[in-house]
Amino acid sequence: MEERNLELDDDGRIKLKKTGEALASAEEAEGDELLIEVPDFEEFRGEDGKVGLSDEELAAKAKEREERAAAKKARAAALLAEADGLFDAGDLLGAGEKYLDSAAEDPSLWRAWFGVVRVQTEDLTDFHAVYDCQKAYERAFRRMSGEERAALAERYVPSLEGMIAENEKEIEKLTAEDEAARAASRGEKQAAYKKGGVRFALFAALFVLFAAAGGALSAFIRSVPGNQILIPAVLCIAAAVVLLFVTAWAAKGFFAAKSAYGAALRPGSSAAGKKAAELREYDELIASVIDDLRAEKK
């Protein structure tokens, strides 16, 4: 479905007020309404009381605007009907384009916006791509009436609740698999964790021992003639350098084993557990759609 830039689309409700005129109430420019100030044409009347256009001409232009608006609404309704036909025939791509065309003609037509959502979610059966049509989703629910929302709830909520129930069964199964997988590997990972800890402690102790010995012997190199102190000091320092790298390697293995053992203790860390977590998030998304369908129109 071709991406459209309909950011400025509105539902066609535009209010006009004369420049400097106060609003009668705060509700006159709320929601999706666009408030435009226009001049007070009384200021432009001549001495004879006439403006640039006669009353008949002004009425004709107003009628022309109404006819254009009615024509756009008619085209939008025709495109919507065509889109519904394509959707029922299984042509989701074609239906999506027609729904967008309909919304472009008449942004106040909530069924066109909801049609985009139906295409993207395969008639509210797959919500993995629902965020790709989030704006259409919000506009559809904002424009529909309470009765229309209730009718949609009656149509879709039972199947959505059924989806959640099926997912709950799968989540229960995956949770059991997660517990079994973690229990099976827990002993092995615990042994690796303990072994890694002993190895790390041993090499760390040797490093400290040789580093301390090398430092202590270095202090007596100048006071003892010959190589009696120099050679042992050099050997200790060299051993300490080697042990530093070995200790670092042992530390890396120890912390990796510790992390693996911690994962074996933590629910949801296996592949089955992660899948269960994804399904829980998906259920929350479906539940939010149900809430929107059941919500009362504000």
Side-chain angles (χ1 to χ4, degrees):
M1 187 168 59
E2 180 186 355
E3 183 178 353
R4 306 293 182 87
N5 182 10
L6 299 178
E7 292 292 333
L8 299 179
D9 285 345
D10 203 81
D11 57 9
R13 293 182 295 170
I14 300 177
K15 285 186 175 294
L16 305 178
K17 81 180 186 72
K18 295 179 181 179
T19 304
E21 179 183 6
L23 290 175
S25 68
E27 297 179 353
E28 288 188 13
E30 290 183 349
D32 299 323
E33 296 175 344
L34 179 63
L35 180 63
I36 300 177
E37 291 190 357
V38 298
D40 184 352
F41 288 105
E42 294 294 334
E43 299 176 1
F44 297 95
R45 291 183 180 273
E47 294 180 356
D48 57 357
K50 294 183 179 180
V51 294
L53 297 176
S54 67
D55 292 341
E56 291 79 8
E57 290 173 323
L58 290 173
K61 286 188 174 294
K63 182 179 180 181
E64 182 182 350
R65 287 194 297 271
E66 291 176 358
E67 290 175 349
R68 285 201 301 267
K72 286 177 71 69
K73 288 184 177 293
R75 287 195 299 271
L79 288 166
L80 177 62
E82 187 176 351
D84 287 338
L86 291 171
F87 186 89
D88 293 338
D91 184 1
L92 298 185
L93 182 61
E97 292 296 326
K98 293 298 181 181
Y99 282 128
L100 287 172
D101 290 340
S102 177
E105 289 289 340
D106 182 8
S108 68
L109 192 58
W110 72 266
R111 288 183 175 83
W113 295 114
F114 191 72
V116 176
V117 177
R118 292 179 68 204
V119 169
Q120 203 70 38
T121 61
E122 298 183 11
D123 205 16
L124 274 66
T125 61
D126 184 352
F127 294 93
H128 289 94
V130 70
Y131 292 112
D132 293 340
C133 61
Q134 185 172 357
K135 293 185 184 299
Y137 181 94
E138 293 171 353
R139 289 169 180 173
F141 278 90
R142 188 167 64 243
R143 286 159 171 76
M144 68 179 65
S145 67
E147 293 77 11
E148 292 162 336
R149 190 185 297 245
L152 290 177
E154 183 178 358
R155 174 181 176 182
Y156 288 107
V157 167
S159 62
L160 294 176
E161 291 178 335
M163 291 170 60
I164 292 178
E166 287 297 319
N167 286 342
E168 287 298 326
K169 293 179 183 178
E170 184 65 16
I171 289 171
E172 185 177 350
K173 176 184 174 183
L174 290 170
T175 301
E177 292 179 4
D178 170 62
E179 175 58 33
R182 290 185 299 106
S185 63
R186 195 171 298 147
E188 178 183 351
K189 291 180 178 179
Q190 184 180 22
Y193 166 58
K194 290 181 177 180
K195 183 179 179 180
V198 171
R199 184 169 51 231
F200 171 58
L202 175 61
F203 286 122
L206 289 173
F207 163 71
V208 171
L209 177 63
F210 278 94
L217 291 172
S218 298
F220 297 98
I221 290 177
R222 294 184 178 275
S223 61
V224 178
N227 297 327
Q228 296 178 11
I229 299 298
L230 176 61
I231 293 176
V234 171
L235 290 176
C236 286
I237 293 173
V241 171
V242 173
L243 284 168
L244 175 62
F245 288 100
V246 175
T247 301
W249 166 80
K252 181 179 179 181
F254 167 68
F255 287 112
K258 181 181 179 181
S259 177
Y261 179 56
L265 298 174
R266 187 173 61 252
S269 58
S270 69
K274 293 176 181 178
K275 178 63 177 176
E278 292 175 1
L279 280 178
R280 288 191 188 94
E281 291 182 3
Y282 192 67
D283 276 356
E284 291 175 2
L285 177 59
I286 297 175
S288 70
V289 175
I290 293 175
D291 290 342
D292 288 338
L293 289 169
R294 286 177 168 168
E296 295 183 0
K297 178 71 174 181
K298 295 180 180 180

